[in-house]
Amino acid sequence: MNITKKILIFLLVGALLVAVIVGSTFYIQTRILITDTITTKHLEIAEDTMDKIDRYLFERYNAIVAASVDTEFEKALAQKTPVTPAEQSLIDKKMDTLARYTGPWDKLALIGTDGITKYTIAPNELGEMVIGTHLSAEDFAHVLAGNTYYSDVFKDDKTQKPTMIFAAPIRDESNPAAPVVGMIMGHLTWDAVLSILHTTDDSFIVELFNRKGVELGDDSYEKNQSEILNTDVRNHPAIKAALNGLSGSGEFDSLDEPSENVLISYVPEKGFGAYAGKGWVLAVQAPATSAFRAATSAALVVSCLFGLFVIFVVILSYSVIRRTVLLPLLSLTRIASQFGQSDFSQRFLVKSKDEISQLGNALNEMANSLQVSQSKLESRVQDRTHELNETNLLMKSTLERVSQLKKFSDDQSALYQLMLESIGDAVLVLDKHKIITLVNSVGERLLARKQSELIGKKVDDIIKFRFQDDSVHFEKQEWSQALGGTNLTRLDIGMDLVGVEGKPIPVSATISPIVSQNENIGTVITIRDVREERELQETRASFISVASHQLRTPLTSMRWFSEMLLEGDAGPITDQQRHFVQSIYQGTDRMISLVSLLLQIARVEGHRLKIDPRPTNLRFHTNDVLITLRPMFNAKSQTVEIHSDPENLPEIPIDQGIMWQVVQNLLSNANRYAPEQSVITVNIVQKGDIIVYSVSDKGIGIPESEKGKIFEKFYRAENALLAVPEGSGLGLSLVKSLVLGWGGEIWFESQEGQGTTFFFTIPVKGMEKKEGEVSITI
Ligand code: ADP
């Protein structure tokens, strides 16, 4: 239900309430007012009528009194002799005149003191005795005593008509002492009084009652005369009140019909002039319904008028409210509801400055700003939609690409799986928590466990290595660093995989970190079963060892004998012989060196080398080596400089024999590959917990293309082959094995034709002691 209807209903209900309350108040008040008016009017009628009756009776009374002083009548009654016909006619005439002007009278007669009717307007009554018939003896005596008399209403026995008697004594008025000679008596025609009661208004009844509450007549002139003097209402409260001398009005039971409710106005008789009255009362009686009908209809008319007025006011108010409040409000509501549908084009028509118009203004302003915002928003939405469409297209193509990639990736992963399976080595893929996530079937076989037993396990619990050479340190920490790091770690030094069924398996391993954005996200461990290589190596080493050993003795003999021959211990030799023997001596010497080297390498690689560390000053030790090599440097006029930082190097525990081999090899290489008169520099520098040892020369250098092969056994660079034809290509291989064996590192920097520097490191804590079969010393 909209507000218009609500207000209309509210107004109608309010109007109805007001109409009912005010209408009924109006109705009651009007009714009271009109009732008062009616009763007042009735009371006035009653008083007037009562007054008229008294005045009328007073006039009759006066007429009788006036007639009583007529001397003709006094004479007629006073004379003792019978009257003459002339006198009789005179009196009769007078009586007729009197009756005509003062009547109407039913009877009018002159009564003698004896009570006999002497003269009368009705000849048949002549001589009639009035005492006991018309007047009581008492009343008769009362009149004869000189008093005027009037009776109450009574019914004449003869005529059976109601009447009342007026009587006055007759005497000589000129002589106050003169006796009463009779009286004049008149019977009033009661209809004359009834005619006073008569009204033409049917809305009420006028009724007269005597002092005993007996009805004397009413306004229905033609009313059955028999009712007169027969109805006694002395106990009726209205009549009772009037008989007690009160006048008033009120609602009572009807005087005639007790069941009927009537409005009665009552007045007591007041008398008029000398006529004091007989204590009668007069009542004006009107049926309540008819009395109130006018009041009711008047009140209804007033109420209806008021109702019409209220309806008019309601319609007027409604139309004013509708125009000034409701329509603007509906307009506001419509505009606001348009807002809800994002339509901000509607505006409120501001006609005044009231609150609604202010609200309308605010709404208009809001619509303006919303319209602006909406257009901004719409353009933004358009832009965004455009962007989204583009993104959508991009996404679509990306999705297509992704699905292609997925397909590719599925294919790839199948491929990778196949690749993984086709790799001859054991491959384990770990996540960044070192948990095995993938293992190939070679890995299953090598580790003697099923894939399901391996995947999800921590790699440390599965793989355990044991290094054959105790000098090789690959500690737990380093292992975990290798797994978590970003650099590739190769473990191709002699080591065994332990903890698997059966014997330890010789293996080499590669730990390859999977790096993304400089972070380790996993590791691939490749383990190769090197049982065959190990066996081959061992066979070769033992062969070399045996062969070298076996060769060394005859070679040593050969060198010794050739030396003896050169020294002439076997007699003088010719120059040609000397030349030949010298060649034998030099070849044998090179052979011995070669065999020694081979033997040393075999010892190192066979892990048979013992390490016996002793506190050593590296600088002094280098000097010692240099002393033995001095003839070589002198032969090429080369200078060797030894520098150390700090100047006083700490003594560190090292195996001097091993260190001797390393230093001696590097220095002899420098000597051989550097030109004459050049300077060879040895630098021994402590850097934290390591010592970096380097040998620099200004020699032939190492060609770029051959740098990767320099530490390989028997490898010699092209330029070295040309510059120094004698050489085995074994020295650096031995040096590298020895350095790595004590846990150091070895590398070089070189530029062809410029020179070469070889670096190696020794931990400041030195080498760890190791029990072995042989020492490096030959
Ligand atoms: P050899 O010196 O007997 O050839 P090495 O094992 O000692 O064997 O050296 C291997 C090769 O390394 C040499 O043949 C040479 O090519 C190169 N080389 C080693 N030391 C030097 C150096 N100081 N200057 C230039 N080349 C060198």
Side-chain angles (χ1 to χ4, degrees):
M1 194 187 284
N2 64 26
I3 192 160
T4 319
K5 281 183 188 157
K6 282 181 188 168
I7 289 183
L8 188 61
I9 288 171
F10 176 76
L11 283 173
L12 285 175
V13 171
L16 200 69
L17 277 174
V18 170
V20 167
I21 294 166
V22 178
S24 47
T25 310
F26 258 122
Y27 176 76
I28 291 163
Q29 287 301 322
T30 314
R31 200 167 176 275
I32 289 168
L33 194 74
I34 293 172
T35 308
D36 279 355
T37 313
I38 291 171
T39 51
T40 308
K41 187 184 154 224
H42 282 188
L43 203 59
E44 275 172 16
I45 291 170
E47 278 172 349
D48 272 5
T49 312
M50 193 74 238
D51 212 36
K52 275 182 195 164
I53 291 169
D54 276 349
R55 189 188 302 224
Y56 181 77
L57 295 176
F58 166 69
E59 283 166 4
R60 301 293 81 78
Y61 173 86
N62 260 357
I64 293 296
V65 171
S68 72
V69 296
D70 193 308
T71 52
E72 298 297 329
F73 290 157
E74 190 266 331
K75 272 184 203 162
L77 284 177
Q79 70 182 27
K80 303 288 186 260
T81 56
V83 289
T84 65
E87 287 172 343
Q88 185 69 42
S89 140
L90 179 73
I91 298 296
D92 285 346
K93 215 174 159 187
K94 266 200 151 173
M95 291 287 281
D96 282 340
T97 309
L98 185 67
R100 200 161 44 246
Y101 291 109
T102 64
W105 301 98
D106 284 345
K107 287 179 186 174
L108 189 65
L110 296 178
I111 313 297
T113 52
D114 54 358
I116 300 294
T117 305
K118 304 289 189 196
Y119 302 93
T120 174
I121 56 170
N124 61 334
E125 289 173 0
L126 203 63
E128 203 178 52
M129 170 52 100
V130 298
I131 301 169
T133 53
H134 297 283
L135 288 171
S136 66
E138 231 173 276
D139 292 335
F140 188 76
H142 178 70
V143 177
L144 285 186
N147 301 308
T148 309
Y149 167 80
Y150 51 88
S151 73
D152 209 336
V153 177
F154 66 94
K155 200 169 270 179
D156 190 311
D157 286 343
K158 272 192 183 164
T159 63
Q160 282 299 310
K161 285 169 74 180
T163 186
M164 69 182 288
I165 295 170
F166 287 85
I170 297 174
R171 61 184 168 190
D172 183 2
E173 287 295 318
S174 56
N175 181 11
V180 172
V181 292
M183 66 179 78
I184 180 165
M185 183 183 77
H187 283 62
L188 184 71
T189 304
W190 190 238
D191 280 352
V193 176
L194 290 180
S195 72
I196 297 171
L197 294 179
H198 178 71
T199 63
T200 51
D201 194 339
D202 288 341
S203 65
F204 57 87
I205 303 164
V206 183
E207 285 176 287
L208 186 66
F209 301 91
N210 69 12
R211 70 166 178 274
K212 289 178 182 161
V214 175
E215 187 179 336
L216 299 177
D218 59 29
D219 66 338
S220 58
Y221 192 54
E222 295 83 16
K223 196 172 171 183
N224 188 358
Q225 296 284 330
S226 64
E227 278 186 21
I228 296 173
L229 293 172
N230 282 336
T231 312
D232 178 357
V233 290
R234 83 186 78 172
N235 289 323
H236 191 282
I239 302 304
K240 235 180 186 173
L243 289 173
N244 285 328
L246 301 172
S247 65
S249 301
E251 277 185 63
F252 299 98
D253 288 340
S254 168
L255 291 165
D256 311 306
E257 296 284 334
S259 59
E260 201 183 338
N261 186 247
V262 291
L263 196 66
I264 298 176
S265 298
Y266 48 89
V267 289
E269 187 180 25
K270 288 183 193 145
F272 193 87
Y275 178 73
K278 293 298 277 183
W280 298 346
V281 295
L282 189 126
V284 174
Q285 173 179 281
T289 45
S290 67
F292 290 135
R293 195 173 298 130
T296 310
S297 56
L300 275 176
V301 168
V302 171
S303 301
C304 286
L305 283 175
F306 179 75
L308 284 173
F309 174 71
V310 167
I311 288 167
F312 172 73
V313 168
V314 165
I315 290 169
L316 194 71
S317 313
Y318 175 69
S319 84
V320 171
I321 290 172
R322 189 168 176 273
R323 198 160 47 78
T324 56
V325 178
L326 295 179
L327 289 179
L329 268 182
L330 282 175
S331 167
L332 282 177
T333 313
R334 201 179 51 248
I335 293 168
S337 72
Q338 295 288 354
F339 281 13
Q341 290 159 12
S342 303
D343 177 7
F344 306 115
S345 61
Q346 309 274 337
R347 290 292 179 279
F348 181 74
L349 198 62
V350 180
K351 287 180 185 163
S352 63
K353 288 184 177 173
D354 61 8
E355 286 81 353
I356 291 175
S357 297
Q358 284 172 16
L359 187 65
N361 263 329
L363 207 68
N364 286 347
E365 280 168 23
M366 195 162 96
N368 288 339
S369 59
L370 281 174
Q371 215 167 18
V372 172
S373 308
Q374 193 193 29
S375 65
K376 277 187 193 162
L377 199 71
E378 271 170 6
S379 83
R380 276 182 61 193
V381 165
Q382 242 172 12
D383 293 351
R384 194 83 189 98
T385 311
H386 185 69
E387 276 173 28
L388 278 174
N389 282 339
E390 282 184 352
T391 313
N392 207 356
L393 283 174
L394 204 70
M395 287 279 285
K396 221 167 140 187
S397 74
T398 310
L399 276 174
E400 280 168 10
R401 179 95 186 101
V402 165
S403 80
Q404 282 173 359
L405 281 174
K406 189 175 177 305
K407 190 171 173 303
F408 179 71
S409 143
D410 290 347
D411 296 350
Q412 288 290 314
S413 89
L415 191 67
Y416 289 149
Q417 194 66 38
L418 279 173
M419 279 165 65
L420 206 64
E421 288 305 322
S422 63
I423 294 172
D425 296 336
V427 179
L428 287 97
V429 182
L430 317 180
D431 66 10
K432 65 176 174 182
H433 303 294
K434 297 165 195 169
I435 303 288
I436 300 170
T437 57
L438 215 61
V439 60
N440 65 356
S441 47
V442 181
E444 283 181 298
R445 281 200 298 278
L446 185 70
L447 298 169
R449 293 192 202 186
K450 289 212 179 93
Q451 206 176 42
S452 57
E453 293 172 83
L454 295 168
I455 288 176
K457 296 271 163 51
K458 196 130 191 186
V459 71
D460 298 315
D461 301 336
I462 301 294
I463 298 175
K464 289 195 176 80
F465 292 125
R466 192 188 70 193
F467 294 94
Q468 291 169 342
D469 186 349
D470 287 346
S471 65
V472 177
H473 301 285
F474 193 77
E475 292 177 355
K476 258 197 166 171
Q477 203 184 350
E478 290 167 81
W479 164 247
S480 74
Q481 266 173 13
L483 288 179
T486 51
N487 296 322
L488 187 125
T489 308
R490 274 206 183 87
L491 298 174
D492 50 4
I493 38 185
M495 63 177 189
D496 295 334
L497 181 69
V498 292
V500 290
E501 277 172 29
K503 280 192 197 164
I505 304 166
V507 290
S508 70
T510 311
I511 302 167
S512 322
I514 306 168
V515 179
S516 167
Q517 292 173 345
N518 286 330
E519 216 180 288
N520 180 303
I521 55 162
T523 312
V524 177
I525 301 176
T526 316
I527 305 170
R528 172 172 291 181
D529 184 344
V530 291
R531 267 180 283 204
E532 283 177 18
E533 284 99 321
R534 182 75 61 78
E535 276 168 21
L536 203 68
Q537 214 175 24
E538 279 172 2
T539 313
R540 199 177 59 195
S542 68
F543 166 75
I544 291 171
S545 172
V546 170
S548 325
H549 212 80
Q550 294 304 319
L551 280 172
R552 222 162 62 127
T553 315
L555 283 173
T556 313
S557 303
M558 278 174 74
R559 190 175 62 175
W560 186 59
F561 282 119
S562 47
E563 205 177 316
M564 281 176 69
L565 280 175
L566 286 173
E567 285 176 8
D569 287 354
I573 50 173
T574 64
D575 286 347
Q576 195 181 17
Q577 286 171 333
R578 176 172 295 276
H579 177 70
F580 290 153
V581 174
Q582 217 151 18
S583 293
I584 292 168
Y585 177 81
Q586 283 169 356
T588 311
D589 195 47
R590 276 208 300 280
M591 283 282 272
I592 288 169
S593 306
L594 185 69
V595 167
S596 296
L597 268 175
L598 279 172
L599 206 56
Q600 281 167 338
I601 290 171
R603 283 173 189 164
V604 173
E605 290 184 350
H607 305 290
R608 297 189 294 128
L609 203 63
K610 71 173 175 190
I611 300 174
D612 183 19
R614 287 170 193 213
T616 311
N617 182 312
L618 277 175
R619 196 175 170 149
F620 298 158
H621 184 260
T622 306
N623 232 5
D624 291 347
V625 178
L626 207 53
I627 290 166
T628 63
L629 296 178
R630 183 59 64 197
M632 289 167 64
F633 289 108
N634 290 344
K636 289 182 87 172
S637 306
Q638 289 167 330
T639 322
V640 179
E641 292 177 0
I642 305 173
H643 302 289
S644 73
D645 179 18
E647 193 79 27
N648 296 318
L649 284 169
E651 285 194 335
I652 54 171
I654 54 170
D655 185 309
Q656 293 176 348
I658 290 172
M659 185 56 71
W660 188 286
Q661 281 301 322
V662 172
V663 174
Q664 185 249 324
N665 263 295
L666 293 178
L667 282 174
S668 76
N669 276 355
N671 162 258
R672 287 191 300 143
Y673 298 114
E676 291 184 356
Q677 294 175 347
S678 63
V679 178
I680 290 144
T681 315
V682 176
N683 264 309
I684 309 166
V685 181
Q686 184 175 357
K687 288 185 177 171
D689 56 359
I690 57 164
I691 286 170
V692 181
Y693 192 111
S694 64
V695 179
S696 300
D697 63 60
K698 305 260 188 279
I700 58 170
I702 301 167
E704 197 64 37
S705 58
E706 295 177 89
K707 281 181 176 171
K709 298 173 187 168
I710 285 304
F711 289 108
E712 285 180 13
K713 280 191 194 95
F714 302 111
Y715 191 83
R716 302 198 66 210
E718 287 290 331
N719 60 347
L721 282 170
L722 286 172
V724 184
E726 309 84 22
S728 64
L730 286 172
L732 282 183
S733 171
L734 175 66
V735 167
K736 186 180 178 186
S737 295
L738 291 172
V739 171
L740 294 181
W742 74 57
E745 284 178 64
I746 180 162
W747 70 99
F748 62 86
E749 288 168 3
S750 178
Q751 224 175 346
E752 197 177 355
Q754 299 287 314
T756 308
T757 304
F758 276 89
F759 302 87
F760 67 88
T761 63
I762 317 137
V764 173
K765 66 180 182 187
M767 301 178 192
E768 273 179 29
K769 187 177 172 68
K770 186 192 169 202
E771 297 300 333
E773 294 168 32
V774 285
S775 70
I776 193 80
T777 330
I778 299 164

